[in-house]
Amino acid sequence: MPLFLRLLDWTSLMLFRLACLLVAAIVVVVTYDVTSRNLGLPTAVWAVNSVEYAMLYITFLCLPHLVLTKGHVCVEVLLTYLPKGLRRIWENALQIVSALICFYLTWHTASSFFRVLADGSYEVRSFDAPMWAVYLSMPIGFGIGGLQFLSFFARNDSFFGAPPDAHAGM
Amino acid sequence: MMDWTLSIAILIGGLLFSMGIGLPVALGFFVINVIGVFLFMGGARGIDQMIANATLAVSTYSLAPVPLFLVMGSLFFHSGLARRVLDAIDVLIGRLPARLSYLTVTSGTVFAALSGSSLANTGMLGTLMVPEMMKRGYKKHMAIGPILGSGGLAVIIPPSTLAVLFGSLAQIDIGGLLVAGLLPGLILACLYALLIFVQAKVDPEAAPTYDYEPLPVSLRIKVFCRDILPMAVIILAVVGSILTGFATPTESGALGIVAVALLALIFKALDMEAITTAIADAARVTGMTFLLITASSTFAQLWPSRAPLRAWSAGPPRWRWGRPKPFWSWRSSCWFSACSWTRSR
């Protein structure tokens, strides 16, 4: 496998593992929150907002790995009725369109990220979170996700036609 | 100013078209969002607003039960507790016509109350039960029907991940919504069992009876107390804690994970592989679901910007082709007006 594909897959996997760590962290933080409140231990005032930001990060950190493992949901009724040759062309076109959407969103989310980084704005919740940290995961997720859509050409594979368990999370 | 019917046609039609051609659903939403933002929200400036709104869509604490219930359900399946419950129910059911169909419905109902994931529920039942039922000569509708029916019960019976999503998006009491699903879910399960009974009576060949030596009652009681009864801890931790007001739905998710982990530990079924697989599964489904929520909630925000529904409900009845307005159309207008008025109160 070419080096850039290995690097892309490795990056996607690392981002996904980071998302897994965040899921584990949510479990720990919420469990501590409910335990501390009921046992009269010092409560974590940052717990709620940390969980909220973690969920935002999970959404976009998982995106590239879900593209790689064909885990995003799509309606494949039309594809199943297309003749084999036309289906291949159709799938290729859809992969290019999907990549273009991802890159378009990468461009705009990255613009938002750099704008809030420059003006140094903060989001005020139970603790002040810099806005760049709120936006950070979006361009990363969309950007690498878009590259993963294009990588199917290099792999001579297709995003479509995944087995049902790819969507079931099993 | 664009007519509201045209804006609806662009938004809904565009969405159906993008889904229909096979574009990933979340990306299809994003495409229509971008088009909608350019048409109705002032172009590029609207895109920045859309991105800002997207960050808010999933950074909401009311959605926190989703990953928690997913971890709980996945840990329940991967630790082997689910298999243990299934085997125990198999022993308890005894000799019955269509016993494997009953086993599927009973297990599906119990799994629904213990896992919250209809995907995992259906997947597990399908993997374990279909080969066995086919081997025993069950007809397809008696094998796959109970799996599809009872697998979907996890959508209704608490802890339902879908109920959490719905409650969060509709901004209604999630705890109340979860508890409200308990009785309808159980009624549905009973109706499935009734349907199997009728089917087995009408067409006994659809689910052939096979030789099965039932265990003595004392042994069955022992199996029930050892393998089924302890699972009540999970239901108590999740549904009980919400019902008694001890915990919020988010906290009940965390308590559910602790309960499953403790039970798996007691049954010596908790290992690192089960934990990591459960977390990875939960992350995968959470990522997929939350991206859909991010995209669809932004889509929903396009509607008030053009107020198409308000125009639909409050606007004077118009019949463009000059024919008299039919009764059903007037009724639906009134219904939408009533909904709009109720929401605005």
Side-chain angles (χ1 to χ4, degrees), chain A residues 37 55 71 73 90 101 160 169, chain B residues 21-22 25 31 60 251 281 288:
Chain A
R37 189 161 49 79
M55 291 194 296
V73 182
W90 196 271
I101 298 162
F160 302 92
Chain B
I21 61 170
V25 176
V31 170
T60 311
E251 293 165 348
D281 281 356
M288 180 184 75

Side-chain angles (χ1 to χ4, degrees), chain B residues 229-254:
Chain B
L229 205 56
M231 303 302 159
V233 174
I234 303 173
I235 298 173
L236 201 69
V238 179
V239 185
S241 64
I242 297 175
L243 267 175
T244 55
F246 175 75
T248 63
T250 306
E251 293 165 348
S252 74

Side-chain angles (χ1 to χ4, degrees), chain A residues 8-32:
Chain A
L8 187 64
D9 291 355
W10 183 84
T11 313
S12 303
L13 185 64
M14 285 304 117
L15 293 177
F16 178 68
R17 284 186 179 164
L18 188 57
C20 290
L21 281 177
L22 289 173
V23 170
I26 288 177
V27 174
V28 172
V29 167
V30 175
T31 309
Y32 174 75

Side-chain angles (χ1 to χ4, degrees), chain A:
Chain A
M1 193 189 286
L3 180 65
F4 77 93
L5 277 186
R6 273 187 287 159
L7 192 65
L8 187 64
D9 291 355
W10 183 84
T11 313
S12 303
L13 185 64
M14 285 304 117
L15 293 177
F16 178 68
R17 284 186 179 164
L18 188 57
C20 290
L21 281 177
L22 289 173
V23 170
I26 288 177
V27 174
V28 172
V29 167
V30 175
T31 309
Y32 174 75
D33 193 38
V34 65
T35 312
S36 61
R37 189 161 49 79
N38 286 292
L39 296 182
L41 298 170
T43 53
V45 287
W46 43 266
V48 170
N49 293 145
S50 309
V51 169
E52 289 173 346
Y53 289 126
M55 291 194 296
L56 177 66
Y57 268 70
I58 289 166
T59 307
F60 293 102
L61 294 180
C62 285
L63 198 156
H65 189 260
L66 282 172
V67 177
L68 174 66
T69 53
K70 308 172 186 183
H72 284 293
V73 182
C74 48
V75 182
E76 297 190 0
V77 178
L78 178 64
L79 291 172
T80 52
Y81 285 105
L82 288 178
K84 202 176 174 186
L86 187 59
R87 178 181 170 139
R88 186 72 189 145
I89 296 168
W90 196 271
E91 286 179 356
N92 288 345
L94 286 176
Q95 280 164 196
I96 292 170
V97 171
S98 302
L100 288 175
I101 298 162
C102 284
F103 292 140
Y104 180 80
L105 292 170
T106 307
W107 170 256
H108 276 284
T109 50
S111 302
S112 296
F113 168 76
F114 285 116
R115 181 171 43 77
V116 293
L117 185 68
D119 65 24
S121 54
Y122 278 80
E123 187 171 65
V124 182
R125 294 193 189 183
S126 66
F127 57 86
D128 296 347
M131 282 302 285
W132 63 262
V134 176
Y135 283 105
L136 178 63
S137 63
M138 299 176 89
I140 295 172
F142 281 125
I144 301 174
L147 290 175
Q148 281 291 8
F149 272 115
L150 291 182
S151 76
F152 285 107
F153 292 101
R155 295 177 213 277
N156 200 20
D157 192 7
S158 171
F159 171 78
F160 302 92
D165 58 354
H167 309 296
M170 291 186 66

